[in-house]
Amino acid sequence: MNTCSIQKTGAGRTLTAVIAGILIFGFLFFITIPLAALFTRVTPADFVTAIMSPAALDALWLSAVTASISTVIVVILGTPLAYVNARVAYRGRNIVDTLTDLPIVLPPTVAGLALLIAFGRNGLVGQSLGIFGIYLPFTTLAVIISQIFVSSPFYIRQARSSFEAVDRDYESASRTLGEGPAGTFFRITLPIAASALLSGIIMTFARALGEFGATLMFAGNFQGTTQTMPLAIYTTMQSDMNVAVALAIVLVVFSFSVILTVKYISGRGES
Amino acid sequence: MSRKNVLLIAALVFGIVLSAFAAGYTATPSGNTGTAGTAEKTVTVVTEEPVEITVFAAASLKGALTDIVNKFMEENKNIKVITNFAGSQTLKTQIQEGADVDIFISANDKQFDPIKDAGLITEKKVLLTNKLAIAVPAENKAGIKELGDLSKEGTLLVIGNKDVPFGQYTRDIIGKYQDDGNEGYVDAFMKNVVSEVDAVDKIKPVLVLGEADGSIVYKSDISKADRKDITLIEIPDKYNVIASYPYGILKANADKDAVKLFEAYLTGDKGTAVLKEYGFDVA
């Protein structure tokens, strides 16, 4: 009786292990195959030709520039908010947090439409901007605005939790020793939170680089002005598959390195 | 452990074989339609089993074809028509990459012919013809009345890219207009283009919101519902491009009864009436 039940659990464990194994390998297979397939589609020589094409070069350059600017703006605008929300408990903090998180879950078309209705020629804010001759839709600036809108939550969330993780005793000690609040922030809080902040910055940059839907709606699609890498992939898919695949490979390789770097940085931060 | 693995694999293989057999059996009856004698038998089979057919059609056919499909399915409850609307270019790629399709309706020959040349479709037929028109927001703040107005400085245009049919035709039209004694028109027109898109769905919102001043689109793309926000201005025939939409039945599914039935409906009186209602011309 007793031995029988032991055998049963033994068999049960084996079965569980087998099922888990199948699920795990099945999933990894499912994730890896499409990415690996991209690499089988072009020869290295075709890759080089494709990536040197005007459409690809324009897109790479535009993406690098706009995503960098967006990331810098997100850091400048997002850091004070993240710090205040980490340190100050005020009424409505949850509402503010929810608002800043919202772009993560919004479908890109909603973001694009909202931006168009707000900053478009006839938009809520856009109408007033028009008085000064500022016209946003279909410009490179619109690309940056779209990227800021969708990528900011990645930095702000990470920044808030990294500030929360900083031991307040260090800050208090710094203040007791005569350092002002700004000095304390820059000389104590920021250095301690730095590695966690950096992973937030990298994720924000990667998300900005991958931005597609909102850009297409709000900034349009024009080579050299608003056609970033994801838009170039979408467009060249219809005319030159090699260029599309080459750009896709660049994005996949870059994103993989980014996430791996983030894991390395945050792993080091923990130890 | 290894015995368990073997058992699992065996079960999997058994399942695959079983489903393959099942698929084979369902395919057999519709294959035997050669003689008149078996035709009656086939009809009974069709009414017993719900059959799915898949139609890939150019995005510009969405409204009309959705209507036709719904009407068809109401009359033929045993047939389920699955539709996939996208730019013809995208559809062509999907079919080349092995999508399981019964009927392919393209908005031009360029995307259709490679499928025929690859031997995937044997016969090319023309379903309908379509013309282009200037589309402007209902307010028409830029005061566009004809082709010539589209080259005025500061007019914002969103057009189809050169790889999609209506984008190609846009370029053809402005070329013809320039050749008709309007020197420098093409350059001035293209200078006003702020975005090039792959489908008309991306043009309508910016026109409705008044963010762009104009575009050149298929007449049929601006539905009755759209006309309260978007105004169409005719382009004279001498500049216009008359687009013909070729279609064909994929060779692999050419003998499916449901497919033949749908083709007959689509090209028959009822289908034609709907197509005309949506602004298409039926050849």
Side-chain angles (χ1 to χ4, degrees), chain A residues 11 14-15 17-19 22 41 113 116-117 119-123 127 135 137-138 216-217 219-222 226-227 234-241, chain B residues 1 4-5 8 89-90 92-93 97 111 137 139 141 154 156 158 161-164 190 193-199 202 205-206 209-213:
Chain A
T14 316
L15 189 66
V18 168
I19 291 171
I22 288 171
R41 187 78 200 209
L113 194 62
L116 204 54
I117 292 172
F119 300 114
R121 203 159 49 153
N122 304 312
Q127 252 173 348
Y135 175 68
F138 309 116
L216 190 61
M217 284 286 289
N221 187 4
F222 199 82
T226 57
Q227 192 178 89
Y234 184 70
T235 306
T236 53
M237 213 158 64
Q238 300 165 0
S239 54
D240 191 343
M241 192 54 97
Chain B
M1 175 105 180
K4 280 273 173 341
N5 265 335
L8 246 144
Q89 176 67 251
T90 309
K92 182 202 75 175
T93 310
E97 299 292 329
Q111 317 308 339
E139 298 161 38
K141 280 186 189 159
L156 300 178
V158 175
N161 70 41
K162 63 183 189 327
D163 301 310
V164 294
M190 291 309 286
V193 174
V194 287
S195 185
E196 295 184 25
V197 299
D198 66 320
K202 282 150 200 146
V206 290
L209 293 172
E211 294 302 333
D213 296 317

Side-chain angles (χ1 to χ4, degrees), chain B residues 210-223:
Chain B
E211 294 302 333
D213 296 317
S215 182
I216 294 182
V217 299
Y218 285 123
K219 259 168 76 179
S220 59
D221 277 339
I222 308 305
S223 68

Side-chain angles (χ1 to χ4, degrees), chain B residues 124-277:
Chain B
K124 170 172 154 185
K125 303 170 202 173
V126 172
L127 181 65
L128 55 89
T129 56
N130 196 6
K131 279 182 203 171
L132 286 94
I134 301 167
V136 297
E139 298 161 38
N140 196 6
K141 280 186 189 159
I144 293 163
K145 291 184 203 75
E146 49 142 0
L147 275 177
D149 297 332
L150 297 176
S151 65
K152 278 190 295 192
E153 213 186 317
T155 309
L156 300 178
L157 306 176
V158 175
I159 63 167
N161 70 41
K162 63 183 189 327
D163 301 310
V164 294
F166 81 103
Q168 268 175 51
Y169 297 148
T170 299
R171 284 160 178 80
D172 293 347
I173 289 169
I174 63 172
K176 283 190 212 171
Y177 186 77
Q178 173 167 278
D179 293 345
D180 198 32
N182 297 291
E183 213 173 299
Y185 178 74
V186 171
D187 283 345
F189 178 100
M190 291 309 286
K191 227 173 134 182
N192 286 339
V193 174
V194 287
S195 185
E196 295 184 25
V197 299
D198 66 320
V200 74
D201 324 17
K202 282 150 200 146
I203 292 176
K204 280 195 216 171
V206 290
L207 287 179
V208 169
L209 293 172
E211 294 302 333
D213 296 317
S215 182
I216 294 182
V217 299
Y218 285 123
K219 259 168 76 179
S220 59
D221 277 339
I222 308 305
S223 68
K224 278 178 198 154
D226 294 330
R227 296 213 179 139
K228 69 178 191 336
D229 300 313
I230 298 171
T231 312
L232 284 179
I233 302 164
E234 294 274 344
I235 296 172
D237 272 0
K238 61 173 172 173
Y239 309 126
N240 215 328
V241 175
I242 316 291
S244 71
Y245 282 43
Y247 80 99
I249 296 172
L250 273 285
K251 208 171 155 186
N253 304 319
D255 52 1
K256 262 166 86 172
D257 286 323
V259 175
K260 287 179 187 163
L261 212 59
F262 181 72
E263 186 195 7
Y265 190 91
L266 180 65
T267 55
D269 290 345
K270 287 173 185 166
T272 305
V274 176
L275 291 174
K276 281 181 177 163
E277 191 187 310

Side-chain angles (χ1 to χ4, degrees), chain A residues 52-258:
Chain A
M52 296 307 282
S53 69
L57 287 178
D58 280 353
L60 282 166
W61 173 243
L62 186 69
S63 273
V65 170
T66 53
S68 305
I69 296 174
S70 305
T71 309
V72 170
I73 295 175
V74 167
V75 171
I76 293 171
L77 296 179
T79 308
L81 177 67
Y83 185 73
V84 167
N85 276 5
R87 283 288 179 259
V88 188
Y90 57 90
R91 271 176 80 95
R93 181 167 68 168
N94 277 337
I95 306 278
V96 173
D97 260 349
T98 309
L99 263 177
T100 52
D101 278 350
L102 205 55
I104 287 187
V105 292
L106 278 185
T109 40
V110 173
L113 194 62
L115 287 169
L116 204 54
I117 292 172
F119 300 114
R121 203 159 49 153
N122 304 312
L124 211 57
V125 182
Q127 252 173 348
S128 321
L129 290 175
I131 299 168
F132 305 101
I134 300 170
Y135 175 68
L136 291 175
F138 309 116
T139 62
T140 307
L141 205 54
V143 175
I144 295 172
I145 291 173
S146 308
Q147 289 175 347
I148 293 173
F149 191 80
V150 298
S151 68
S152 59
F154 289 83
Y155 174 72
I156 294 173
R157 282 166 68 101
Q158 176 72 25
R160 184 189 159 168
S161 59
S162 53
F163 288 139
E164 276 170 349
V166 174
D167 195 331
R168 300 186 82 156
D169 288 347
Y170 295 126
E171 290 179 355
S172 314
S174 160
R175 298 295 298 278
T176 323
L177 294 170
E179 192 67 83
T184 303
F185 176 77
F186 284 108
R187 298 178 66 176
I188 306 295
T189 318
L190 211 54
I192 297 175
S195 70
L197 288 177
L198 189 60
S199 38
I201 291 172
I202 295 174
M203 287 304 284
T204 302
F205 182 74
R207 177 63 187 89
L209 211 57
E211 206 322 285
F212 174 73
T215 310
L216 190 61
M217 284 286 289
F218 181 47
N221 187 4
F222 199 82
Q223 191 185 325
T225 323
T226 57
Q227 192 178 89
T228 54
M229 273 165 73
L231 283 130
I233 292 171
Y234 184 70
T235 306
T236 53
M237 213 158 64
Q238 300 165 0
S239 54
D240 191 343
M241 192 54 97
N242 279 351
V243 174
V245 174
L247 284 171
I249 288 174
V250 171
L251 263 187
V252 167
V253 170
F254 179 80
S255 307
F256 184 84
S257 337
V258 159

